[in-house]
Amino acid sequence: MKLYYSPGACSLAVNIALHEAGIPFDIERVDNKAKVTKSGEDFWGVNPKGVVPVLKLDNGETLTEAAALLQYVAARKPEAGLMPKAGTMDYYRVQEWLNFIATELHKQFTPLFKEATPGDYRIIAKENVLKAFALVDQHLAGRQWLVGDSYSVADIYLFTVSNWGRFQDIDVAQWPNLNDLRTRMRARPKVEEAMKAEGLIKPATA
Ligand SMILES: N[C@@H](CCC(=O)N[C@@H](CS)C(=O)NCC(=O)O)C(=O)O
C-alpha cells in the first residue's frame, strides 16, 4: 500500500501506525499547496477532498480520513495491539478519543493554519484548542496512555496534533501529563523512524 503524506501533517499519525504495525508500505509526498505529488500525480485525482492522509491499498482502492485509516491499519495487524479488541468497552473508548481528537483538536487547529482566517476567529479556534488540550491533560493524570494501560492509535493521533502547538505559539509543555505522554511517544523507536521518514528528524551523522 502507499501512504500520501505531507511532512508533520495529520498523515504522520498513519505513518507512525504503519511503522508500529510493521506493515510494509511506500510513501509519497504531497505538495499540499500545489496539490501535486512528488512523482507528479495530480493530487485532486488521488483524493477529490484534496487533503492528506490517503492510503492507496494494494487492490487500487483509496481510503481517506485519519481516524478511519488508523483503525484500518490497527485491524490489519491486530497482534501489534494498536486497538483494543472490537466490541470491548476500551474499543469504544479509543473511538471516543479518535473522534474527540479529530473534531476538537485537529479541526480546531485547521483554521489557525489558513492565512485567510480572520483574527477574531483565530482567537476562538485557539481557545478551543487550549480547552481541548487541558481536558486531555486532566484525563491523563495518573495514566500512561489515553485508554486503559495500552498504547493505541488514539495516543498516536494525539501526539501528532500536539506537535502543531509550536507553530501556533502553544507551549504543550504547560500540560504536564500530556507532556509526559509525548516524552513516552518520542522514546518509541517506530515513532522516531516515522518522523525520520518524513524528514522531521535528521538521521544521526556518522
Ligand atoms: N477530514 C480529514 C482532514 C485531513 C486534513 O485536514 N488534512 C490536512 C493536513 S493535517 C490537509 O491535507 N490540508 C490541506 C488543505 O487544507 O489544503 C481527516 O480527518 O483525515
Side-chain angles (χ1 to χ4, degrees):
M1 62 179 93
K2 176 151 84 172
L3 172 68
Y4 291 84
Y5 80 103
S6 174
C10 47
S11 41
L12 174 64
V14 183
N15 194 352
I16 293 173
L18 284 162
H19 274 85
E20 292 279 9
I23 296 173
F25 68 106
D26 295 324
I27 54 174
E28 169 110 23
R29 187 173 172 150
V30 176
D31 178 337
N32 237 341
K33 281 215 161 68
K35 301 296 174 200
V36 68
T37 76
K38 184 91 191 285
S39 67
E41 266 179 292
D42 168 20
F43 188 52
W44 290 114
V46 176
N47 181 11
K49 295 172 181 167
V51 294
V52 292
V54 178
L55 258 189
K56 187 164 216 167
L57 309 180
D58 292 340
N59 68 2
E61 269 187 67
T62 55
L63 193 62
T64 62
E65 300 299 315
L69 296 187
L70 289 169
Q71 293 181 69
Y72 177 82
V73 170
R76 297 280 68 73
K77 270 286 165 74
E79 60 273 31
L82 296 174
M83 188 85 197
K85 196 170 173 317
T88 60
M89 196 59 208
D90 278 354
Y91 175 81
Y92 295 110
R93 291 281 174 219
V94 170
Q95 303 233 9
E96 184 180 31
W97 279 112
L98 288 175
N99 199 60
F100 181 84
I101 296 160
T103 58
E104 310 299 332
L105 276 164
H106 179 176
K107 280 294 130 180
Q108 300 305 319
F109 262 110
T110 299
L112 299 174
F113 287 112
K114 308 265 183 208
E115 273 168 34
T117 302
D120 286 359
Y121 191 66
R122 276 180 193 282
I123 294 169
I124 295 169
K126 195 163 173 179
E127 271 173 9
N128 290 342
V129 167
L130 296 176
K131 221 167 33 178
F133 275 139
L135 193 138
V136 166
D137 187 63
Q138 217 178 344
H139 171 79
L140 285 172
R143 296 170 191 266
Q144 296 256 319
W145 306 112
L146 281 169
V147 178
D149 296 327
S150 299
Y151 174 64
S152 76
V153 287
D155 301 296
I156 295 175
Y157 198 7
L158 174 62
F159 171 73
T160 301
V161 301
S162 66
N163 284 341
W164 303 340
R166 69 182 192 281
F167 302 114
Q168 299 300 336
D169 203 18
I170 296 171
D171 180 9
V172 292
Q174 69 186 283
W175 298 291
N177 305 308
L178 173 61
N179 201 40
D180 288 350
L181 179 140
R182 287 178 49 75
T183 304
R184 281 189 284 279
M185 290 287 306
R186 284 302 302 270
R188 296 183 73 91
K190 298 295 171 187
V191 172
E192 184 162 339
E193 270 179 44
M195 293 182 81
K196 276 190 183 144
E198 295 197 5
L200 302 170
I201 305 176
K202 300 283 167 253
T205 46

